Amino acid sequence: MIQCWRLDDRRQTLVLGSHRKHLAEVIYWGPRLPDDEDLDTLFAVHAIDVTGGMLDLNPELSVSPEATRTFPGQPGLIVRASDGTQLLTKFCLVQAQEEPGRLNLFYTDENNGLTYSARFAINSRTHVIEAQAALESDEPIHLHWMSAPVMPAPQLSDEMIDVSGRWCGEFQLNRTVWSPGVRFRENRTGRTGHEHFPGLIVPCRGATNTQGQAYAFHYGWSGGHKMIAEELPDGRRQIQFGHAEHMEATPKKQFETAPLYITFSDDGLNGCAVAFQRHLRDEIVQMPQPDRERPVHYNCWEAVYFNHDLPVLKDIASRAADLGVERFVLDDGWFNRRDNDTRALSDWEVDPRKYPDGLDPLIDHVHSLGMTFGIWFEPEMINPDSEIYRAHPDWALGAEDQILGRNQKALNMALPDVRDFLFERIATVLRKHAIEYIKWDHNRVLPMPDADQTRGSYALLDRLRAEFPHVEIESCASGGGRIDFGILERTQRIWLSDSTDALERLKMQHNAALFLPATVTGCHVGSRKCHTSGRVLDMSFRAWVAAQRHMGIEMDPRELTDEEAETLRQVVSWWKQNRGWMMNADILRLESPDPAVIAEQQLSADHARFVVFAGKAATSSQIAPRPLRLTRLDPHARYRINLINRDRAVGLSRGTQTLKTESVDLSGSYLMNHGLTLPWSFPESMWVIEGRRQ
Ligand code: GLA
């Protein structure tokens, strides 16, 4: 007997089918099918032929491919009995629950005492499908590997794009050509990591940012993931995502994967990007005060590092307020003897040497300037040189003689005592002070991946959020080392990178927008001479790059010249006027005809306005700028186009271009099919163009 199910939104259809109660296969995923498509016929025709050298039937590429069905590729599940014997599973359908937009399939394997379920939920507003698998066992078993429901990858695709990175170099895109065999990525660092962001995009041939078909995947888990993208000998392709292997250290009876977020787009990579941006912003992130506008940040890390001196910090706070800042964040260095990074992590009590009257004098000063106050913690970490370590050396995770990372060990978050201790210390600081923001850091990898550690971190975050629902939390891990939809279920902002080099940020933000909306993506104006790259950049460029996302400042404002301060003030003020719509806009990556230009268009939810940021990241090879095509406009509408920072045109831009002197009205059709011809500019500068529908 054949059974089929379908999930639809306006742009995509996912069809699963199975016969003889075997595990279901995704038999179609792509553009929306007609409502009356006969699914049994689809099931029948979707089977590929067999020829010499093949089995007499092709084993199913199911939601969890099974070795017992002679599947020739990587299996979706690897489990062992508690005595170590491998359990070769063979699941049989027991129930299919269907509701609008949801499908839950339940299977049993009676011989092995196992129940497997695959769940799908489609969000018709964001076009994201959440897919998750779970396993239950009558007896405790070892889980080595479980993939979230396995998806096919398109055949008309020549390559896949995934994301790697490093400290100060997050969100680098890699393109890998499909070929028989496996593209295998596994993050065994125990945190999401800079190295392997858990995302994948599979563009179909010819897809660009703005057109063509593409499929995208994101695994929402903060403990490190494994991805398999495999082309089978018969040409079929499968995508698996799950926790890193062997993360479940002990035998258990229940397991589940994190949600795998997937989407199909028929309008380029931007279709995937916008789906993820909206899904994260509107369905996952919970802002403490959803109607409050995102405040402009100041973070003191690069201004003072560990040298906390109250008069200096007050002076800096006053200068920050004068620039337009609304939230002041006190970074590392405020607690017990923390004069450098060798000691005191986990001693979360205010340092009486630096703050003899506690934090209130600083907080009161910050409040008197009209700003709110935030503070840094690194809860999961402990320095061997700390009071807590001396009292509880057994609270540290991993071997006694392990290699330290930034002179620190991780705490064992699976221990209730550790979580209680951290909760009490953090809660005490929050109860005693008017603090509405935590920058939550995680600066080292774990000694080994361990799902209990991630669940422990989640539990602590959940408990703190329940007790302090007004407190917003930023996820930082040496910059972008813990960015994923799992942590963003519990936090509201990410520190994309420790690099505040605007040139590096321009590229990073461009790539991160494939998954992340502006409202969660922190970007700060750094020092004139960047502390992590040594590059010297102009204030206008630094400020506009920060204005592309959730804006902040992270530098010593005492270094600012009057002119720099004025430029910064103006951009902050522009950002405040526009954040209301920009923080809910879609970020659209533009197809740039000049590789030296990295450009994006932020389009308001009502499509009535947009802003284009065209960053000149290098010197162009041709002499004159090439027109930049916009996207997703109404071809029949007219838009008023205004180059708002036209006063930055340099002397070497000698032409009489209209945009340098006035705004112009142009049709969406012209803007999308010919594009905007911008004035000549220096590298490391940014044109900012506003558009309003007339
Ligand atoms: C990490 C963070 C920085 C800063 C320091 C403080 O490196 O990424 O932003 O908070 O820790 O030690």
Side-chain angles (χ1 to χ4, degrees):
M1 186 185 69
I2 295 171
Q3 280 173 287
C4 293
W5 306 271
R6 68 183 280 173
L7 290 166
D8 301 276
D9 62 25
R10 270 177 294 109
R11 79 177 188 201
Q12 69 188 326
T13 297
L14 178 73
V15 183
L16 291 111
S18 78
H19 66 151
R20 290 186 278 141
K21 297 187 180 291
H22 289 191
L23 283 167
E25 295 177 81
V26 172
I27 58 167
Y28 175 85
W29 180 26
R32 166 99 194 207
L33 294 175
D35 289 347
D36 60 358
E37 189 81 53
D38 187 276
L39 301 186
D40 287 3
T41 307
L42 281 196
F43 187 85
V45 298
H46 120 281
I48 53 173
D49 201 0
V50 294
T51 179
M54 294 174 86
L55 293 172
D56 299 337
L57 262 182
N58 285 300
E60 294 114 351
L61 199 176
S62 75
V63 289
S64 183
E66 293 170 304
T68 47
R69 305 226 184 256
T70 342
F71 183 70
Q74 300 294 312
L77 181 69
I78 303 176
V79 280
R80 286 182 189 274
S82 56
D83 68 0
T85 321
Q86 188 168 2
L87 299 176
L88 288 171
T89 63
K90 201 173 209 179
F91 284 104
C92 177
L93 181 72
V94 283
Q95 199 192 356
Q97 290 173 347
E98 270 186 292
E99 313 166 18
R102 284 181 185 275
L103 172 66
N104 298 334
L105 300 172
F106 297 90
Y107 298 86
T108 55
D109 170 350
E110 281 175 7
N111 283 344
N112 290 307
L114 299 173
T115 304
Y116 169 87
S117 65
R119 299 194 291 270
F120 299 86
I122 191 164
N123 186 306
S124 56
R125 223 181 48 75
T126 64
H127 307 298
V128 167
I129 301 170
E130 292 187 23
Q132 198 165 1
L135 184 70
E136 283 186 28
S137 170
D138 295 345
E139 299 298 326
I141 54 169
H142 289 285
L143 180 76
H144 290 198
W145 166 243
M146 176 162 60
S147 174
V150 175
M151 302 302 295
Q155 298 278 303
L156 188 62
S157 165
D158 300 317
E159 59 180 13
M160 57 191 124
I161 304 172
D162 55 31
V163 188
S164 63
R166 60 167 164 81
W167 177 69
C168 284
E170 290 83 347
F171 282 90
Q172 302 177 27
L173 302 186
N174 306 302
R175 289 175 182 263
T176 307
V177 172
W178 281 104
S179 62
V182 172
R183 165 102 172 132
F184 175 96
R185 297 193 72 193
E186 187 172 33
N187 168 7
R188 301 202 60 77
T189 67
R191 64 173 185 185
T192 323
H194 301 77
E195 303 81 7
H196 304 284
F197 175 77
L200 175 73
I201 297 171
V202 185
C204 291
R205 186 176 300 157
T208 66
N209 285 319
T210 54
Q211 59 192 17
Q213 296 186 339
Y215 294 77
F217 304 77
H218 170 71
Y219 190 65
W221 169 245
S222 313
H225 79 289
K226 170 174 141 178
M227 177 199 91
I228 289 172
E230 180 175 28
E231 182 168 298
L232 301 176
D234 58 36
R236 289 179 296 173
R237 293 164 173 176
Q238 65 158 336
I239 307 292
Q240 299 190 4
F241 270 93
H243 294 9
E245 274 189 24
H246 304 283
M247 276 195 90
E248 300 291 354
T250 53
K252 291 195 179 69
K253 288 181 169 183
Q254 287 185 333
F255 305 92
E256 67 174 1
T257 68
L260 176 65
Y261 300 91
I262 61 175
T263 189
F264 161 76
S265 156
D266 55 7
D267 60 356
L269 272 53
N270 282 338
C272 300
V274 166
F276 283 146
Q277 290 169 21
R278 290 185 185 174
H279 197 76
L280 182 64
R281 187 187 64 215
D282 302 338
E283 307 291 332
I284 295 181
V285 170
Q286 294 154 44
M287 292 287 174
Q289 294 166 265
D291 297 332
R292 178 178 170 196
E293 298 208 298
R294 305 298 277 145
V296 178
H297 273 220
Y298 177 80
N299 180 295
C300 68
W301 175 239
E302 293 204 352
V304 299
Y305 293 104
F306 297 101
N307 296 327
H308 289 207
D309 176 73
L310 188 57
V312 169
L313 284 168
K314 281 182 169 177
D315 178 28
I316 287 177
S318 302
R319 289 168 191 262
D322 178 56
L323 294 167
V325 167
E326 297 159 312
R327 178 185 274 157
F328 179 95
V329 181
L330 185 68
D331 211 280
D332 194 357
W334 58 267
F335 49 95
N336 191 21
R337 294 171 56 250
R338 177 77 169 169
D339 295 339
N340 53 53
D341 67 11
T342 65
R343 64 179 193 233
L345 284 177
S346 79
D347 294 339
W348 301 114
E349 282 169 341
V350 178
D351 187 341
R353 298 168 312 150
K354 296 178 186 170
Y355 298 96
D357 299 315
L359 291 174
D360 280 338
L362 179 60
I363 296 178
D364 291 346
H365 180 71
V366 164
H367 286 170
S368 75
L369 296 163
M371 299 187 291
T372 60
F373 190 82
I375 197 162
W376 182 93
F377 283 97
E378 197 180 356
E380 289 107 332
M381 297 296 155
I382 188 162
N383 287 117
D385 184 3
S386 65
E387 286 167 18
I388 298 304
Y389 190 86
R390 281 183 281 276
H392 301 282
D394 52 314
W395 280 4
L397 185 71
E400 218 264 302
D401 62 348
Q402 67 182 276
I403 302 173
L404 300 183
R406 207 191 189 205
N407 311 299
Q408 64 204 49
K409 292 185 178 181
L411 285 164
N412 185 347
M413 299 298 291
L415 300 177
D417 283 355
V418 168
R419 294 201 300 270
D420 288 347
F421 158 76
L422 287 170
F423 177 81
E424 279 313 324
R425 282 290 166 105
I426 298 170
T428 303
V429 175
L430 296 181
R431 283 185 199 122
K432 273 196 192 154
H433 304 99
I435 292 176
E436 53 116 44
Y437 188 82
I438 292 177
K439 177 175 172 184
W440 185 298
D441 221 326
H442 188 295
N443 279 319
R444 62 155 291 166
V445 299
L446 300 185
M448 67 283 190
D450 180 351
D452 283 341
Q453 181 75 7
T454 313
R455 287 190 284 260
S457 293
Y458 284 173
L460 177 63
L461 276 157
D462 291 344
R463 190 171 161 197
L464 282 162
R465 286 182 55 233
E467 175 112 3
F468 303 97
H470 64 285
V471 174
E472 182 177 327
I473 304 175
E474 170 177 30
S475 172
C476 174
S478 301
R482 186 154 61 177
I483 300 175
D484 62 84
F485 288 13
I487 202 74
L488 280 159
E489 259 178 77
R490 298 160 173 92
T491 58
Q492 295 83 11
R493 192 182 200 248
I494 50 99
W495 183 227
L496 187 63
S497 177
D498 272 354
S499 170
T500 52
D501 176 319
L503 185 63
E504 294 174 352
R505 278 284 183 142
L506 177 75
K507 297 176 193 168
M508 239 183 254
Q509 289 176 179
H510 193 65
N511 293 340
L514 288 167
F515 299 92
L516 302 173
T519 185
V520 303
T521 311
C523 189
H524 297 172
V525 178
S527 303
R528 189 180 306 125
K529 180 169 179 180
C530 175
H531 290 198
T532 54
S533 70
R535 194 173 274 123
V536 175
L537 292 166
D538 172 64
M539 172 53 80
S540 171
F541 184 56
R542 280 181 278 153
W544 282 120
V545 169
Q548 289 183 278
R549 300 292 183 266
H550 181 189
M551 188 171 192
I553 299 173
E554 182 154 353
M555 48 130 45
D556 190 338
R558 293 172 300 178
E559 79 164 33
L560 293 169
T561 63
D562 289 349
E563 195 192 334
E564 285 171 335
E566 190 44 35
T567 303
L568 182 49
R569 221 175 268 123
Q570 281 173 14
V571 178
V572 167
S573 155
W574 178 89
W575 190 81
K576 285 179 173 173
Q577 284 160 31
N578 288 279
R579 62 184 159 187
W581 68 269
M582 272 173 62
M583 293 298 105
N584 287 307
D586 295 332
I587 306 173
L588 303 165
R589 291 157 43 105
L590 294 178
E591 229 19 78
S592 174
D594 179 351
V597 174
I598 296 176
E600 72 181 28
Q601 174 187 327
Q602 297 192 12
L603 182 61
S604 67
D606 62 5
H607 289 205
R609 61 194 298 180
F610 61 82
V611 59
V612 171
F613 294 99
K616 187 91 177 274
T619 305
S620 300
S621 50
Q622 82 289 348
I623 197 157
R626 298 186 197 272
L628 182 64
R629 288 185 188 205
L630 308 192
T631 190
R632 289 203 186 190
L633 301 179
D634 176 351
H636 306 294
R638 296 181 77 73
Y639 295 86
R640 178 143 309 156
I641 301 296
N642 190 12
L643 180 64
I644 62 165
N645 59 342
R646 57 171 68 106
D647 60 328
R648 307 297 303 185
V650 292
L652 276 174
S653 162
R654 300 191 301 129
T656 52
Q657 277 189 299
T658 318
L659 279 176
K660 285 203 299 195
T661 49
E662 59 196 87
S663 52
V664 289
D665 287 359
L666 294 165
S667 71
S669 185
Y670 177 84
L671 290 166
M672 292 191 291
N673 296 309
H674 180 275
L676 273 176
T677 313
L678 294 164
W680 191 94
S681 59
F682 284 155
E684 296 162 4
S685 66
M686 175 90 89
W687 285 129
V688 185
I689 304 108
E690 284 180 357
R692 275 178 189 259
R693 192 182 172 126
Q694 295 304 293

